């Protein structure tokens, strides 16, 4: 087995994938969702759209997924930045998510990000408190 570790796909809306985004990096592991606009079975390239933003998907590794134009899909894979044609997600996982309310999905992404930021902020604050407590205990001679 290879020494590389698969990273979880960071959920992202297609509109967030512009060249100024910190997520717009070659090899970034992402989870994207959108409606299938087209799929070329000969090149294994699909195009999904969400809020009028398109993204190409390399589907060559998705053997057991039947793609239907007009259906909504979610893909997890690594972003490849191509010099001549922009970005393409090299999908390793794909699934149909027909019936998903994309507007509600985008709202949940925003809520999740706020929650994760709050957790990180709390952890940073608490780690400072823990360090302070440890330092205080050393000063009082509780720890030798």
């Amino acid at each position: 087995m290879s020494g590389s570790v698969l990273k979880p796909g960071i959920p992202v809306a297609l509109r967030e994938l512009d060249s100024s985004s910190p997520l717009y990096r070659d090899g970034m592991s992402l989870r994207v969702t959108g409606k299938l606009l087209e799929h070329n079975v000969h090149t294994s390239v699909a195009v999904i759209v969400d809020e009028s933003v398109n993204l190409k998907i390399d589907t060559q590794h998705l053997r057991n997924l039947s793609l239907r134009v007009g259906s909504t899909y979610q893909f997890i894979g690594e972003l490849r930045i191509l010099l001549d044609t922009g970005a393409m997600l090299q999908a390793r996982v794909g699934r149909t998510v027909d019936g998903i309310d994309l507007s509600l999905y985008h709202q949940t992404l925003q809520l999740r990000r706020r929650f994760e930021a709050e957790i990180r902020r709390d952890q940073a604050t608490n780690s400072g408190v823990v360090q302070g407590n440890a330092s205080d205990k050393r000063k009082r001679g509780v720890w030798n």
Side-chain angles (χ1 to χ4, degrees):
M1 181 167 173
S2 166
S4 65
V5 175
L6 286 177
K7 296 181 181 174
I10 297 169
V12 61
L14 296 185
R15 70 176 181 271
E16 297 171 314
L17 286 178
D18 62 33
S19 59
S20 66
S21 170
L23 299 172
Y24 193 83
R25 291 191 333 235
D26 195 72
M28 191 69 156
S29 189
L30 302 174
R31 181 183 349 158
V32 297
T33 305
K35 185 174 284 200
L36 187 65
L37 197 59
E38 59 185 75
H39 180 235
N40 184 324
V41 294
H42 302 295
T43 63
S44 297
V45 174
V47 177
I48 61 171
V49 62
D50 182 31
E51 296 182 339
S52 72
V53 178
N54 295 352
L55 179 65
K56 291 181 182 177
I57 309 290
D58 178 347
T59 63
Q60 69 179 331
H61 300 298
L62 305 178
R63 299 289 179 220
N64 297 324
L65 182 65
S66 175
L67 298 173
R68 292 181 314 276
V69 171
S71 285
T72 305
Y73 293 90
Q74 192 168 69
F75 297 98
I76 300 174
E78 284 60 50
L79 192 65
R80 300 295 175 220
I81 308 299
L82 310 171
L83 296 177
D84 54 344
T85 59
M88 179 183 296
L89 188 80
Q90 186 173 1
R92 55 184 151 92
V93 177
R95 66 179 180 160
T96 306
V97 290
D98 281 335
I100 190 171
D101 181 334
L102 286 173
S103 176
L104 187 58
Y105 179 73
H106 292 149
Q107 289 176 32
T108 61
L109 284 180
Q110 294 306 314
L111 286 171
R112 177 182 172 157
R113 289 194 183 120
R114 278 190 266 171
F115 174 74
E116 289 171 343
E118 186 177 311
I119 293 295
R120 283 190 300 274
R121 188 173 50 250
D122 288 349
Q123 287 174 340
T125 301
N126 290 338
S127 70
V129 169
V130 170
Q131 291 295 341
N133 287 343
S135 176
D136 291 344
K137 286 180 180 180
R138 275 190 223 104
K139 286 177 187 175
R140 291 190 312 250
V142 176
W143 291 351
N144 294 325

